[in-house]
Amino acid sequence: MAITLITGPANAGKAELVIEAVRGHLARGEEPLLIVPTRADVEHYLRELAGDRAAIGVRVERFAGLIGEAVLRARIARPVLGGLARERLLEALAAGEDPLLRGRSRRGFTRALAELVSELQVRRVSPGRLLSALESWGAADRDGTSGQGGLGRLYVDYRDALRRLGRHDAEQRSVLALDALRERPALWGRTPVLLYGFDDFTTLQLDAIETLGRIVDAPVTVSLPYEPGRAAFAGRASTFQTLLPLAERERRLPPRAEHYAPHARRALGQLERSLFEPRAARVPAGGAVRLLEGGGERAELELVAGEIAALLQRGVPAEQIGVLVRPAGTSLELLEEVFSAAAIAFTAQRDRPLRDAPTGRALLGLLRCVAGRDGEAATGELGDLLAWLRAPGLLEHQSLADWLELTCRRSGVQGATAAREVWQARHWRLDAIDQLEQAQQRGPAALLDRVARELYWLFCAPRRSAAEVLGSGERDEARALAAGRRALAELRELARGAPELAPSSAGELAEVLEHVVFPSGHGPQPGAVAVLDPLALRARRVRALFVCGLQEGVFPARARPQPLLAEEDRRRLAEASGLRLGEQEDLLAVERYLLYAALSRPQEQLILSWHASDDEGQPTSRSLFVDDVCDLFEEDLLGERARRALGAVDDLPPAAEVLPGSAGAARPLHDERLLAELAARPWSASSLEKRIDCPVAWFVERMLRPQALEPDPEPLVRGALAHAALKDTLEGLRRETGSARLTRSSLQRARELLGEALSVNEAEHPLSVSPERRAAVRRRLLADLERYLALAAESESPLEPAELELGFGFAGDDDRGEASSLPALELGGGITLRGRIDRIDVGPGGEAVVYDYKGKDPPAAARWIKDGKVQVALYMRAAEELLGLPVAGGFYQPLTGADLRARGVLDGDAGIELDCVAKDVREHDELRELLAEALATARAAAEHAVSGALDPRPATCAWKGGCMYPTICRCER
């Protein structure tokens, strides 16, 4: 036997012995294989060996590299079936099995079945052996085996399918390679193998160690963290007892503490020696161990970020700080947001779905835009087509995609097919979709070939003819390309051997590729804090370590039951048949070891953190592991923990104290051409009212004029249609009767004309982009307008509607493209006004009353100046100046709501009797004073704008107060 087993607690120097063994093999002219757990470990030890000038002649690989070498030397020639293709095969086999199996979640069941098949292959369980064992179990326990026969048949069918395809799966190939080496040890030779950094070994890894070290008799060195009798190592005892009889010798290393900083050695050494040990003595923490508690997850990460910033300011290099997280307890997206806001450079590695990369997202969007093989409509939405069109390099001008989104959203187009029609009506034909449809008709292989070309083209598009080296920010794109091409190659091979198992349509292929993942991010880098999971941390040390998200159910994690053949089923199967499959491990023991391994990594400081509630305020429990740590120290660490409340923000100067023109507020306009344009432009009443409410909101809405992505709000469209319908109704009534005045006798005809007017004008003013809503909205509008007509007919107004939708001051550049015969209204000081008056009614003596239609809740005249509602007052002055009419009143006329009475002002001395609120009747001088004040208010607002001032007014900016555009205004209250 040639196996050397190196054991000892954390920090005992196992790595030094392994590297020393590597040097010894190199000195004897051998070419050893150093096997480590992760890609980051491969890079780390290659750098370390290169620093020792020992990298030449040694290969550093992960365990998959060791199996690959065994396959090569065992001369296993049959190709391997990829993981994605295997899932497709298992899914197809399971679909025709028992109803119990068909009722499971398709993807979840396929994954569970793949895990069970892998276990059976690794344990060398033949289909016949499994069927025999299940039959024995069924004979011994008839009530407990419902559906298990189906698992046996699935395994038989799976192995038969592999033979038909001429493929091995990964586990089968590994076992065949190891068996070939057992039969012919000379195939391997004497190549040394050293395994370091593994906390535990799988069944296949133990098989490889035994095969190479005991059967082949190659020099094998195995490092295993283990110390007899320690509670922290209870989860590793089984592996140790498996390896010990195989080893020729064991080198058991004693604990060492010299790598800890002197001031933290006692506290951190106490953690390494006494964690989870009963009756451990307490020692001073001395600041080397601290606790943080956030009110929510964000608050917790903000505390962590603050502590890291303090360490960086004290000169601790960023690469010597580690942050340990588990995705179930800490959101990496939130961590990225918080650390970026704190200007903390960090690296993190995780698997991300293909859709997270621009190239992958574009490809998935493109596939969903393809119609089905039998003429089915494409399943994609507008967002899918946009994801493809916005792929870097596809369009020379991204504004074209923006135009499509704006057009489709405003018109209510949602499907990819309809959106494509909108695009092609104005631009070129999207041939890529047609080419995919044609490839789809030729079969799965042709489709997969075409998609592979599209994926590669999408990746190359922004880099074509550039000959650039990929930057660090582009590596994820390259990894996504590689993952996508591997997946398509697997499916292409499956289509060649079993076309019925390959995706037959672009939509189905998109569903498959949706689950493809690629490795994202970077391992530890100089100048960046390393964000790691517990397994990635185990082979390196840091000066300071933050263990985040210590929540119950996260660390320790909850046990995950076996989805197929649960622990009790496996026990009964073993009792009845002698077939023993892997049993559920003691998860608490495993989690204890992971925590122990993590807490042994810092050299100077350890900080544990958790949050007391989620970000919705629901309480969460901290991990009991925190109490296990606190039990080792004299201080009341829990009582002295740093806290941050849920939703806490740093102290900032109140927005109300930010002065106009300061760095915290929108700056005044100063461009001379813009100010000259403002001085010369005619104003509208609504623009002046917006300016009075808030100059910054006016600047955004009336000067910047951003185009909305969504359709016009239904109330706005409803108002426009109501105006047009009432105008046509009253004009039609005038043509037929000679008068547009509503009376009881003309009411019925007015209702008929109203219905016709709504039908004619709705094409120009669609009430909703949702067809299912249009009928309901139309009925409600018709009902409201009929209520108004009835009220107007009952009032028997003595006034005759003389002017309808009367425009003034337009030169053909308004939204309707109509020039008006009336000039603009002079407000004084070079300020002019243009507008469109909804209705002017004239009495027998020529007295005029102005009406402006509103949705509901019209403002009373007593609040016109205070609320900045000057439109009716300005229209009254326009009727006087431009038409020469003596104006006796002006009203806002609601068209909906509980109260349809008009509100405004009426000259009590004019002798006109109207059905209005008593408070709206004013003396003549009072009415003239109100009009003059409104005119002065409007002129002051225009002069304020011409000066360039942009002072925020959040109290009146929005309907209920509060800033409408805080990112522009910089004034939130």
Side-chain angles (χ1 to χ4, degrees):
M1 293 185 291
I3 298 177
T4 299
L5 178 61
I6 302 174
T7 63
N11 307 315
K14 297 183 291 296
E16 296 172 13
L17 285 183
V18 172
I19 297 300
E20 181 182 323
V22 169
R23 295 192 189 100
H25 290 304
L26 290 172
R28 291 188 290 272
E30 299 168 333
E31 297 183 350
L33 277 169
L34 176 59
I35 308 301
V36 292
T38 67
R39 292 186 183 90
D41 294 328
V42 172
E43 296 174 4
H44 172 75
Y45 284 102
L46 277 174
R47 288 194 299 267
E48 184 169 326
L49 290 167
D52 293 340
R53 299 182 179 180
I56 298 176
V58 60
R59 284 174 53 192
V60 184
E61 297 277 0
R62 292 180 297 154
F63 182 74
L66 175 62
I67 290 296
E69 186 67 20
V71 168
L72 181 64
R73 298 192 185 192
R75 301 169 187 171
I76 305 297
R78 183 179 292 185
V80 68
L81 186 71
L84 188 62
R86 180 168 73 169
E87 285 190 13
R88 293 286 300 180
L89 174 58
L90 288 172
E91 183 178 321
L93 295 175
E97 270 300 333
D98 295 349
L100 176 66
L101 302 181
R102 291 199 300 270
R104 309 283 183 101
S105 168
R106 186 176 69 174
R107 183 162 182 80
F109 176 71
T110 303
R111 287 279 177 92
L113 185 58
E115 291 179 13
L116 179 60
V117 166
S118 297
E119 182 180 4
L120 294 170
Q121 299 275 49
V122 168
R123 294 182 180 275
R124 297 173 173 82
V125 178
S126 67
R129 178 72 179 95
L130 180 61
L131 284 173
S132 175
L134 291 173
E135 289 174 2
S136 299
W137 179 17
D141 186 7
R142 295 180 181 177
D143 297 332
T145 59
S146 176
Q148 305 301 351
L151 291 178
R153 290 191 296 274
L154 276 175
Y155 189 41
V156 172
D157 293 342
Y158 173 71
R159 292 284 291 263
D160 289 342
L162 287 179
R163 269 193 301 274
R164 290 197 308 272
L165 291 171
R167 297 285 189 274
H168 295 311
D169 63 18
E171 292 76 20
Q172 189 181 40
R173 184 179 66 162
S174 301
V175 168
L176 289 172
L178 294 176
D179 288 346
L181 295 180
R182 285 172 178 264
E183 294 174 2
R184 300 176 61 190
L187 292 174
W188 181 265
R190 295 286 300 169
T191 302
V193 177
L194 304 97
L195 295 97
Y196 174 74
F198 294 88
D199 289 329
D200 203 359
F201 294 101
T202 66
T203 302
L204 182 61
Q205 289 167 343
L206 290 171
D207 190 349
I209 291 170
E210 180 181 7
T211 298
L212 295 176
R214 187 169 184 178
I215 309 301
V216 174
D217 201 29
V220 175
T221 301
V222 181
S223 167
L224 178 70
Y226 183 73
E227 190 174 9
R230 291 282 305 277
F233 292 96
R236 300 296 177 261
S238 176
T239 301
F240 173 75
Q241 294 300 333
T242 301
L243 286 171
L244 187 60
L246 304 177
E248 182 179 58
R249 62 172 178 159
E250 178 194 3
R251 297 191 63 177
R252 186 172 297 179
L253 303 179
R256 292 163 54 184
E258 60 266 24
H259 79 283
Y260 294 121
H263 67 274
R265 185 168 297 159
R266 189 175 183 190
L268 297 181
Q270 169 79 347
L271 270 172
E272 192 281 313
R273 299 308 307 150
S274 302
L275 185 64
F276 303 124
E277 295 300 315
R279 297 178 297 279
R282 292 173 178 260
V283 301
V289 180
R290 295 178 49 225
L291 306 180
L292 308 176
E293 180 186 77
E297 187 179 350
R298 178 181 289 275
E300 176 196 350
L301 292 175
E302 287 171 343
L303 278 173
V304 171
E307 294 287 340
I308 293 175
L311 289 173
L312 295 174
Q313 289 177 356
R314 291 203 298 268
V316 178
E319 62 269 20
Q320 296 183 19
I321 300 173
V323 179
L324 185 148
V325 299
R326 275 186 162 176
T330 302
S331 166
L332 288 176
E333 289 79 8
L334 182 58
L335 183 145
E336 180 179 359
E337 181 181 333
V338 172
F339 278 24
S340 298
I344 296 173
F346 69 97
T347 62
Q349 290 181 301
R350 54 175 168 157
D351 286 340
R352 298 175 63 186
L354 190 63
R355 65 177 177 273
D356 282 1
T359 298
R361 185 164 54 250
L363 180 69
L364 293 173
L366 174 61
L367 290 174
R368 294 192 178 103
C369 294
V370 178
R373 295 188 64 181
D374 298 324
E376 302 96 338
T379 59
E381 303 291 337
L382 168 64
D384 295 309
L385 182 61
L386 290 171
W388 175 54
L389 290 175
R390 287 196 169 119
L394 186 67
L395 295 178
E396 184 176 351
H397 302 288
Q398 283 293 316
S399 58
L400 297 178
D402 297 338
W403 168 85
L404 178 65
E405 181 174 11
L406 176 66
T407 303
C408 290
R409 291 191 182 280
R410 290 187 62 81
S411 60
V413 173
Q414 298 178 352
T417 301
R420 180 188 177 189
E421 293 173 357
V422 172
W423 172 275
Q424 293 182 162
R426 179 167 178 174
H427 302 297
W428 59 90
R429 187 171 184 82
L430 301 177
D431 294 328
I433 299 176
D434 296 329
Q435 291 165 358
L436 281 171
E437 289 178 354
Q438 294 164 9
Q440 180 179 253
Q441 295 299 326
R442 294 195 298 271
L447 173 63
L448 290 163
D449 287 341
R450 182 69 206 178
V451 171
R453 288 197 295 273
E454 288 292 339
L455 175 62
Y456 188 67
W457 191 94
L458 286 169
F459 176 79
C460 295
R463 304 168 180 88
R464 190 170 291 105
S465 303
E468 295 177 350
V469 176
L470 293 180
S472 59
E474 297 178 290
R475 292 178 184 172
D476 276 3
E477 276 291 282
R479 295 183 184 120
L481 171 67
R485 296 183 75 178
R486 280 195 302 270
L488 292 169
E490 286 184 23
L491 295 172
R492 180 66 177 82
E493 289 301 313
L494 188 64
R496 182 177 299 167
E500 70 279 3
L501 299 180
S504 60
S505 69
E508 185 183 1
L509 179 57
E511 290 183 12
V512 175
L513 296 179
E514 182 77 26
H515 301 288
V516 172
V517 298
F518 65 93
S520 171
H522 304 278
Q525 300 284 331
V529 173
V531 179
L532 305 162
D533 63 34
L535 295 179
L537 180 68
R538 56 194 170 183
R540 60 176 51 85
R541 295 191 182 113
V542 292
R543 285 177 60 178
L545 176 66
F546 294 81
V547 183
C548 304
L550 280 169
Q551 310 297 138
E552 193 63 28
V554 175
F555 213 154
R558 293 186 176 91
R560 185 175 72 93
Q562 293 281 359
L564 295 175
L565 289 181
E567 185 175 3
E568 178 62 20
D569 292 336
R570 291 169 183 247
R571 182 187 63 80
R572 283 156 43 197
L573 178 63
E575 292 173 349
S577 67
L579 176 59
R580 186 175 181 181
L581 299 178
E583 299 176 357
Q584 187 79 26
E585 58 186 350
D586 185 347
L587 185 63
L588 180 58
V590 172
E591 293 288 288
R592 280 176 172 169
Y593 174 77
L594 282 180
L595 182 71
Y596 161 82
L599 300 193
S600 68
R601 297 296 91 196
Q603 297 171 303
E604 296 181 9
Q605 191 167 36
L606 171 69
I607 299 178
L608 310 180
S609 70
W610 67 92
H611 46 272
S613 67
D614 59 26
D615 285 339
E616 282 73 40
Q618 297 298 318
T620 58
S621 300
R622 72 169 181 268
S623 170
L624 294 178
F625 282 167
V626 176
D627 299 89
D628 289 321
V629 172
C630 293
D631 289 343
L632 301 177
F633 299 102
E634 294 175 352
E635 294 90 339
D636 180 13
L637 294 181
L638 276 174
E640 297 172 1
R641 67 189 183 275
R643 298 182 180 181
R644 184 174 176 83
L646 177 67
V649 295
D650 296 327
D651 294 332
L652 297 173
E657 298 177 6
V658 179
L659 299 177
S662 69
R667 297 180 180 179
L669 303 176
H670 57 273
D671 184 83
E672 294 182 0
R673 290 177 299 174
L674 176 60
L675 295 178
E677 179 187 339
L678 285 175
R681 68 180 292 180
W683 288 80
S684 68
S686 61
S687 183
L688 288 170
E689 288 184 344
K690 176 57 70 174
R691 176 78 197 190
I692 294 168
D693 285 343
C694 180
V696 178
W698 164 84
F699 174 71
V700 174
E701 296 178 11
R702 302 306 173 102
M703 296 298 294
L704 299 181
R705 290 188 296 239
Q707 289 184 292
L709 285 176
E710 302 302 326
D712 289 332
E714 288 184 5
L716 184 64
V717 179
R718 170 191 163 103
L721 179 56
H723 280 63
L726 286 175
K727 175 179 181 293
D728 290 354
T729 298
L730 297 181
E731 285 182 344
L733 199 62
R734 178 184 288 131
R735 285 194 302 271
E736 294 184 7
T737 66
S739 172
R741 190 160 59 93
L742 288 163
T743 63
R744 294 184 181 89
S745 60
S746 63
L747 176 60
Q748 181 57 38
R749 182 53 185 158
R751 286 174 172 166
E752 295 171 358
L753 291 171
L754 175 65
E756 296 171 3
L758 285 175
S759 299
V760 170
N761 287 280
E762 190 177 355
E764 185 178 351
H765 306 284
L767 287 169
S768 175
V769 296
S770 302
E772 62 273 10
R773 283 187 50 81
R774 287 176 190 159
V777 177
R778 185 190 305 111
R779 284 194 298 269
R780 182 170 181 176
L781 176 59
L782 178 61
D784 285 339
L785 294 182
E786 285 183 341
R787 280 181 61 218
Y788 167 66
L789 293 181
L791 180 68
E794 287 292 327
S795 67
E796 293 284 354
S797 170
L799 306 180
E800 173 70 24
E803 301 290 346
L804 302 173
E805 299 293 327
L806 176 67
F808 62 93
F810 290 111
D813 58 346
D814 70 319
D815 54 352
R816 304 182 192 183
E818 301 173 358
S820 56
S821 59
L822 296 176
L825 174 66
E826 296 287 341
L827 300 182
I831 307 299
T832 60
L833 179 79
R834 71 179 183 180
R836 195 172 299 280
I837 305 174
D838 292 341
R839 201 174 89 215
I840 300 177
D841 289 4
V842 179
E847 308 87 350
V849 175
V850 171
Y851 286 92
D852 187 72
Y853 298 134
K854 291 293 179 186
K856 60 179 179 179
D857 301 326
R863 299 187 59 86
W864 282 3
I865 305 303
K866 181 179 180 180
D867 294 344
K869 303 303 179 184
V870 296
Q871 181 166 312
V872 165
L874 294 177
Y875 285 175
M876 291 169 67
R877 178 58 65 93
E880 286 183 335
E881 297 290 335
L882 302 179
L883 297 178
L885 297 173
V887 175
F891 293 91
Y892 290 101
Q893 174 62 61
L895 298 179
T896 187
D899 189 355
L900 294 184
R901 290 180 300 173
R903 296 302 309 271
V905 62
L906 180 65
D907 189 342
D909 300 333
I912 299 176
E913 294 186 6
L914 293 178
D915 184 15
C916 63
V917 178
K919 294 181 180 180
D920 291 343
V921 179
R922 304 289 185 92
E923 293 183 357
H924 179 77
D925 292 342
E926 189 179 0
L927 184 146
R928 306 314 301 179
E929 182 180 350
L930 177 63
L931 294 185
E933 193 172 357
L935 186 65
T937 300
R939 186 169 55 245
E943 292 171 348
H944 187 255
V946 171
S947 73
L950 281 182
D951 51 303
R953 298 174 189 172
T956 56
C957 179
W959 173 248
K960 294 184 179 180
C963 185
M964 287 284 287
Y965 306 102
T967 55
I968 297 176
C969 183
R970 312 281 179 87
C971 184
E972 296 185 358
R973 52 189 182 98

